[in-house]
């Protein structure tokens, strides 16, 4: 319902009339008299020891809060941290003393309300897994243990919704905007059939209200709208010589919040599988950053790593980085670690949109990709989480059918045989194959049940097509295992994941004279499904116009041929495996 620490239930403020009203409705003589702490202040109180127990539900503050590393450290110091989540391993769950399995979205039963005040029923399409409980059930169970079983005797979400509706209309008489009192006696059968409706929903508006204030009356003492003068204030954080670039942060298409769920979907990572730092080409030249290079951002608060994505639509002097990546997915890719906990004095909203940072490329000697079946992936992941290896600059992982793919950036050459032997030390009957060329090294460890493939190269762009490698996890071991070490051309970036249209394909079409998003959609199909790739397609058109398209067209043609070659080679390999060649 969007309950806030600075409001009472049913959208009521902390004034004496509202406090008295809520207390009488609930027969609760000890209703809070003052607002609670907003998020940043709350974690400061955890850090100072003022808060000694905290229960975190369905959120990941160790990633989403400003000064995220400081928040995680505060939670680790707190005497009791309880976390309810449907995902067992999150950055916040790692700080917990007690983990409670919660139901996921598809298991929940209740209502959701969107930004236009529309209440919609959410119905489950599967039963809760394992010991997972609904959040409301966990709260009621705890209340019962504390001696309030009679007050928390709900048996169904309809019971809670009914009481919420009754409170919204209690002593309202048109004095408060939020009023769904028409549902104050709703039965479970009617609740189950509830259709989307916009509040207020009361006797005056039984079918809901598309607009508020349509009658010109406002919820003030005079009934008229109040204009409140404010004094504008610039961001408290400012760029300077030490931190000369502005960093803006926000969402990327295809991902949601801190990726605890969307990060488990392989297809959603086709567009971007690593935290990318969007950089204007002029800034990239000034700082010596190439497309795809691993870069480091630093602020006065912390550090993050990401891969450079040159974008002419990005303003000169400004960078953009996504909010989604966390320590469970990649090493030091939390953009929130850079943000100072400076907040708006009224809303408490942090200054996420303007952070002064410095930028520099990371000097990488080599890169490696590892294709691991699930048991080995778990061992490698645990090793990456705990091992302080000075040779390792950065890592991230990508889920795929049957296991994971890990990407490593290294200061020095990788000894794949040594790393593989460590990961496989408890697995019997391991055989090794190794191939070394002028540009890359490849190691294959296998037994009758699985294979571990490690490929290292001095250029990230030249690592083999990852989709082709990932398919090895789904293939039976060939009679000649060394076939898995066969050279595979480099991969390409997907821009339109719905239609599987790559960046080289789009750049080639632009080079051939197609210069609008609509025309590219007609020619290639990109942007014609969900449409979330249209801004990136537009940016590619703009970049082509600013830099000239002739060279890009040639490069795109070459890369497209590389993709075709890779697909043909993979098809050939599968046919050979099937024939036992």
């Amino acid at each position: 319902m969007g309950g806030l620490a600075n409001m009472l239930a049913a959208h009521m403020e902390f004034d004496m009339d509202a406090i008295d009203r809520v207390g009488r409705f609930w027969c609760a003589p000890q209703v809070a008299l003052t607002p609670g702490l907003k998020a940043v202040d709350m974690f400061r109180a955890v850090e100072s020891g003022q808060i000694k127990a905290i229960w975190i539900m369905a959120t990941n503050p160790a990633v989403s809060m400003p000064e995220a590393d400081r928040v995680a450290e505060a939670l680790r110091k707190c005497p009791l941290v309880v976390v309810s989540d449907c995902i067992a391993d999150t950055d916040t769950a790692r700080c917990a003393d007690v983990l409670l399995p919660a139901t996921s979205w598809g298991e929940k039963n209740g209502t959701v309300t969107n930004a236009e005040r529309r209440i919609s029923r959410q119905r489950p399409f599967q039963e809760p897994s394992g010991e997972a409980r609904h959040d409301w059930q966990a709260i009621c169970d705890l209340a019962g243990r504390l001696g309030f079983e009679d007050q928390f005797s709900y048996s169904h979400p309809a019971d809670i919704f009914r009481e919420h509706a009754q409170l919204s209309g209690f002593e309202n008489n048109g004095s408060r905007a939020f009023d769904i009192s028409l549902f104050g006696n709703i039965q479970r059968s009617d609740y189950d059939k509830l259709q989307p409706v916009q509040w207020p929903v009361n006797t005056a508006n039984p079918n809901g209200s598309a607009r508020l204030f349509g009658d010109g009356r406002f919820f003030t003492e005079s009934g008229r709208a109040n204009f409140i003068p404010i004094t504008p204030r610039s961001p408290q954080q400012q760029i300077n010589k030490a931190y000369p670039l502005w960093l803006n942060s926000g969402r990327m298409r295809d991902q949601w919040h801190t990726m605890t769920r969307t990060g488990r979907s392989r297809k959603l990572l086709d567009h971007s599988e690593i935290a990318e730092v969007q950089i204007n080409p002029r800034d990239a030249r000034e700082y010596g950053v190439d497309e795809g290079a691993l870069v480091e951002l630093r602020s006065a608060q912390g550090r993050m790593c990401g891969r450079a994505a040159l974008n002419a639509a990005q303003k000169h002097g400004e960078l953009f980085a996504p909010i989604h990546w966390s320590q469970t997915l990649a090493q030091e890719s939390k953009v929130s670690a850079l943000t100072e906990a400076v907040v708006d004095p009224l809303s408490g909203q942090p200054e996420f949109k303007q952070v002064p940072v410095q930028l520099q490329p990371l000097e990488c000697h080599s890169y490696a990709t590892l294709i691991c079946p699930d048991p080995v992936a778990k061992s490698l992941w645990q090793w990456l989480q705990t091992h302080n290896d000075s040779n390792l600059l950065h890592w991230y992982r990508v889920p795929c059918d049957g296991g994971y793919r890990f990407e490593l950036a290294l200061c020095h050459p990788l000894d794949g045989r040594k790393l593989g032997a460590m990961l496989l030390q408890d697995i019997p009957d391991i055989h090794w194959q190794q191939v070394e060329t002028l540009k890359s090294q490849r190691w294959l460890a296998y037994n009758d049940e699985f294979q571990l493939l490690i490929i290292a190269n001095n250029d990230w762009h030249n690592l083999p097509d990852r989709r082709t490698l990932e398919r090895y996890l789904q293939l039976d071991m060939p009679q000649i295992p060394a076939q898995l070490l066969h050279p595979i051309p480099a991969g390409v970036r997907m821009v339109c994941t719905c239609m599987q249209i790559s960046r080289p394909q789009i750049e080639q079409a632009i080079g051939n004279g197609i210069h609008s998003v609509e025309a590219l959609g007609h020619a290639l199909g990109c942007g014609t499904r969900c449409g979330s790739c249209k801004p990136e397609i537009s940016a590619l058109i703009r970049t082509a116009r600013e830099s000239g398209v002739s060279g890009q067209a040639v490069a795109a043609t070459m890369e497209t041929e590389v993709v075709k070659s890779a697909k043909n080679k993979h098809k050939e390999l599968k046919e050979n495996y099937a024939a036992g060649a």
Side-chain angles (χ1 to χ4, degrees):
M1 301 180 302
L4 300 172
N6 57 341
M7 295 185 72
L8 287 169
H11 297 204
M12 283 184 262
E13 303 286 345
F14 271 93
D15 59 67
M16 294 312 298
D17 288 343
I19 293 170
D20 175 67
R21 184 183 304 116
V22 172
R24 285 187 287 109
F25 177 83
W26 271 336
C27 301
Q30 298 184 47
V31 175
L33 301 178
T34 57
L37 297 173
K38 299 187 182 76
V40 169
D41 295 331
M42 179 171 61
F43 285 103
R44 287 285 185 271
V46 172
E47 183 181 51
S48 68
Q50 177 186 347
I51 290 177
K52 294 180 172 58
I54 186 168
W55 189 357
I56 300 168
M57 287 183 165
T59 189
N60 197 7
V63 179
S64 60
M65 290 293 295
E67 301 180 14
D69 293 339
R70 184 176 176 182
V71 169
E73 184 59 31
L75 289 173
R76 283 190 285 267
K77 289 165 45 180
C78 186
L80 177 61
V81 176
V82 181
V83 173
S84 296
D85 209 318
C86 60
I87 301 297
D89 185 34
T90 69
D91 286 38
T92 302
R94 294 180 179 190
C95 305
D97 301 292
V98 179
L99 282 173
L100 299 179
T103 48
S104 64
W105 174 78
E107 299 164 341
K108 290 182 182 293
N109 186 4
T111 62
V112 294
T113 306
N114 70 6
E116 62 169 2
R117 312 180 323 280
R118 190 178 301 277
I119 302 169
S120 299
R121 275 287 278 120
Q122 179 174 324
R123 301 172 178 88
F125 54 81
Q126 63 183 31
E127 292 297 316
S129 304
E131 297 180 277
R133 307 289 302 278
H134 300 306
D135 291 335
W136 67 268
Q137 289 176 324
I139 292 171
C140 291
D141 287 348
L142 178 63
R145 299 292 183 91
L146 294 174
F148 298 99
E149 187 173 1
D150 291 342
Q151 292 84 352
F152 287 80
S153 57
Y154 311 106
S155 60
H156 190 273
D159 303 336
I160 302 170
F161 183 79
R162 187 183 309 116
E163 182 178 298
H164 183 50
Q166 292 169 358
L167 177 57
S168 75
F170 183 60
E171 298 179 357
N172 190 328
N173 301 317
S175 62
R176 305 190 302 275
F178 178 65
D179 184 355
I180 57 170
S181 54
L182 194 71
F183 300 128
N185 293 307
I186 192 170
Q187 299 303 303
R188 188 177 300 184
S189 58
D190 294 326
Y191 178 77
D192 287 336
K193 294 183 292 186
L194 185 67
Q195 295 298 304
V197 62
Q198 290 171 279
W199 61 259
V201 189
N202 48 29
T203 53
N205 304 280
N207 298 315
S209 310
R211 291 184 62 188
L212 285 177
F213 316 119
D215 57 0
R217 182 177 173 277
F218 292 79
F219 297 97
T220 61
E221 290 186 8
S222 66
R224 303 181 67 179
N226 292 339
F227 287 88
I228 302 173
I230 62 169
T231 302
R233 191 189 74 179
S234 297
Q236 186 168 324
Q237 302 174 91
Q238 293 294 324
I239 56 176
N240 51 48
K241 288 184 178 180
Y243 304 103
L245 297 168
W246 280 119
L247 172 67
N248 180 18
S249 63
R251 303 177 187 278
M252 285 184 66
R253 46 164 283 209
D254 299 348
Q255 298 300 342
W256 177 251
H257 286 2
T258 60
M259 281 174 64
T260 54
R261 286 164 293 176
T262 55
R264 297 156 65 90
S265 170
R266 176 64 184 86
K267 187 172 183 179
L268 292 179
L269 290 163
D270 270 347
H271 170 251
S272 180
E273 62 183 32
I274 183 176
E276 292 184 342
V277 180
Q278 301 281 333
I279 306 173
N280 180 279
R282 179 176 164 189
D283 290 321
R285 289 192 297 271
E286 182 179 339
Y287 286 90
V289 174
D290 297 324
E291 174 74 32
L294 194 63
V295 297
E296 174 191 73
L297 299 181
R298 283 190 179 272
S299 72
Q301 283 66 50
R303 171 183 186 266
M304 79 159 284
C305 292
R307 201 172 294 289
L310 275 56
N311 184 355
Q314 188 68 35
K315 285 186 177 181
H316 172 56
E318 297 182 8
L319 311 172
F320 176 85
I323 63 171
H324 309 290
W325 272 263
S326 69
Q327 192 64 29
T328 61
L329 302 167
Q331 180 181 355
E332 293 189 292
S333 290
K334 292 190 293 187
V335 70
S336 53
L338 301 169
T339 309
E340 186 179 0
V342 176
V343 299
D344 175 86
L346 295 179
S347 70
Q349 177 66 29
E351 281 186 358
F352 280 127
K353 309 302 289 182
Q354 53 278 310
V355 180
V357 296
Q358 56 182 231
L359 164 72
Q360 66 176 16
L362 288 175
E363 295 296 329
C364 301
H365 178 279
S366 60
Y367 301 87
T369 184
L370 288 73
I371 308 299
C372 308
D374 282 321
V376 182
K378 184 176 181 180
S379 298
L380 176 58
W381 186 53
Q382 290 174 344
W383 178 78
L384 290 170
Q385 296 286 310
T386 59
H387 192 69
N388 186 18
D389 189 341
S390 59
N391 186 31
L392 184 62
L393 281 173
H394 185 68
W395 63 265
Y396 68 91
R397 64 173 185 158
V398 175
C400 43
D401 289 344
Y404 281 86
R405 172 168 53 82
F406 288 82
E407 301 282 332
L408 313 181
L410 306 152
C411 298
H412 308 292
L414 172 72
D415 188 336
R417 179 69 177 263
K418 181 178 179 181
L419 174 61
M422 182 198 67
L423 298 174
L424 304 173
Q425 57 185 333
D426 297 326
I427 299 177
D429 303 323
I430 296 297
H431 305 283
W432 284 92
Q433 296 275 358
Q434 181 176 351
V435 173
E436 185 170 346
T437 68
L438 292 174
K439 291 186 176 181
S440 69
Q441 293 179 303
R442 299 161 182 257
W443 297 267
L444 173 67
Y446 63 94
N447 62 15
D448 292 337
E449 297 180 358
F450 74 91
Q451 62 268 7
L452 164 66
L453 186 63
I454 305 173
I455 299 175
N457 195 298
N458 60 5
D459 187 343
W460 176 74
H461 295 281
N462 290 332
L463 283 168
D465 176 63
R466 313 305 201 276
R467 276 291 194 183
T468 302
L469 293 178
E470 289 170 13
R471 293 188 184 103
Y472 286 163
L473 288 172
Q474 302 157 38
L475 297 174
D476 293 332
M477 180 64 66
Q479 291 183 0
I480 306 175
Q483 289 177 333
L484 296 178
L485 298 173
H486 194 285
I488 299 170
V492 295
R493 172 188 175 127
M494 290 296 166
V495 173
C496 178
T497 54
C498 294
M499 302 298 289
Q500 290 290 289
I501 307 300
S502 69
R503 178 169 176 169
Q505 288 175 288
I506 295 171
E507 288 178 335
Q508 180 182 3
I510 294 171
N512 291 335
I514 303 178
H515 292 150
S516 74
V517 175
E518 292 74 18
L520 286 167
H522 181 74
L524 301 176
C526 53
T528 58
R529 289 274 183 96
C530 73
S532 63
C533 61
K534 286 184 176 181
E536 184 172 355
I537 297 171
S538 180
L540 290 174
I541 294 170
R542 180 174 175 178
T543 300
R545 286 173 179 167
E546 294 188 7
S547 60
V549 297
S550 58
Q552 292 179 342
V554 173
T557 302
M558 293 174 63
E559 290 195 60
T560 303
E561 291 304 317
V562 165
V563 178
K564 291 179 180 177
S565 174
K567 290 181 177 178
N568 290 336
K569 177 56 67 177
H570 181 253
K571 181 179 179 181
E572 179 186 338
L573 284 172
K574 287 184 69 176
E575 291 172 350
N576 288 341
Y577 298 159

